[in-house]
Amino acid sequence: MNERRKENGLEPLARNQTLDAAARYKSWDMAQRDYFAHIGPNGTKVGVKFIKRHIRCNSIGENLHRAGYGESVAYPGSELPRDSKIATDAVDALLNSPGHRANALSPNYDSQGIGVFVDENGTVFVTQEFCG
């Protein structure tokens, strides 16, 4: 994603461990509770709630991506055998969506966190949390 930001004349986003933790939790939560949305089944915004408790941000954003890779992923928690393809697919999909593109290429953000979780069916959940 940072390569695409540079191509668009923007500064790269710094990686933030707190945002990484929020993003990992969000990806895990979606897989465990079988939903794919910014707002969870109980009406909460998991990533936003976590970030507000642990880091100060004037602007917060979130991008979500989900894709099935079936048997190419051995089991939940395993190494992703095609991690560069999965990353490229996620970036391409997010940048082809106007709302996600606006988040990814916003000059209002200066840091990001990435979280990936693979469920038992080989579905990959990717969450990108933004802070600025």
Side-chain angles (χ1 to χ4, degrees):
M1 191 63 78
N2 274 335
E3 290 173 18
R4 300 290 183 84
R5 284 180 61 86
K6 289 179 196 175
E7 290 169 8
N8 285 276
L10 297 164
E11 291 292 317
L13 297 170
R15 208 55 194 270
N16 181 297
Q17 291 181 350
T18 301
L19 295 174
D20 281 345
R24 280 193 305 271
Y25 183 81
K26 174 66 176 187
S27 291
W28 173 85
D29 188 60
M30 288 188 296
Q32 295 304 302
R33 296 199 298 154
D34 193 29
Y35 74 99
F36 182 69
H38 296 286
I39 299 173
N42 61 350
T44 61
K45 294 183 178 182
V46 174
V48 170
K49 185 176 178 181
F50 183 93
I51 292 166
K52 285 184 176 180
R53 269 194 270 158
H54 294 92
I55 188 171
R56 186 178 179 158
C57 301
N58 292 324
S59 299
I60 296 172
E62 181 177 79
N63 280 346
L64 304 176
H65 174 71
R66 176 179 64 184
Y69 290 90
E71 295 178 29
S72 66
V73 179
Y75 57 91
S78 68
E79 291 288 322
L80 297 173
R82 301 182 327 180
D83 58 350
S84 62
K85 176 176 177 17
I86 292 167
T88 299
D89 289 352
V91 168
D92 289 344
L94 292 170
L95 291 177
N96 285 326
S97 164
H100 294 110
R101 182 180 182 83
N103 269 345
L105 300 181
S106 173
N108 297 328
Y109 302 125
D110 55 23
S111 59
Q112 69 175 333
I114 307 291
V116 179
F117 187 83
V118 182
D119 74 8
E120 65 276 1
N121 301 312
T123 301
V124 178
F125 293 82
V126 179
T127 302
Q128 183 180 28
E129 300 287 1
F130 299 98
C131 179

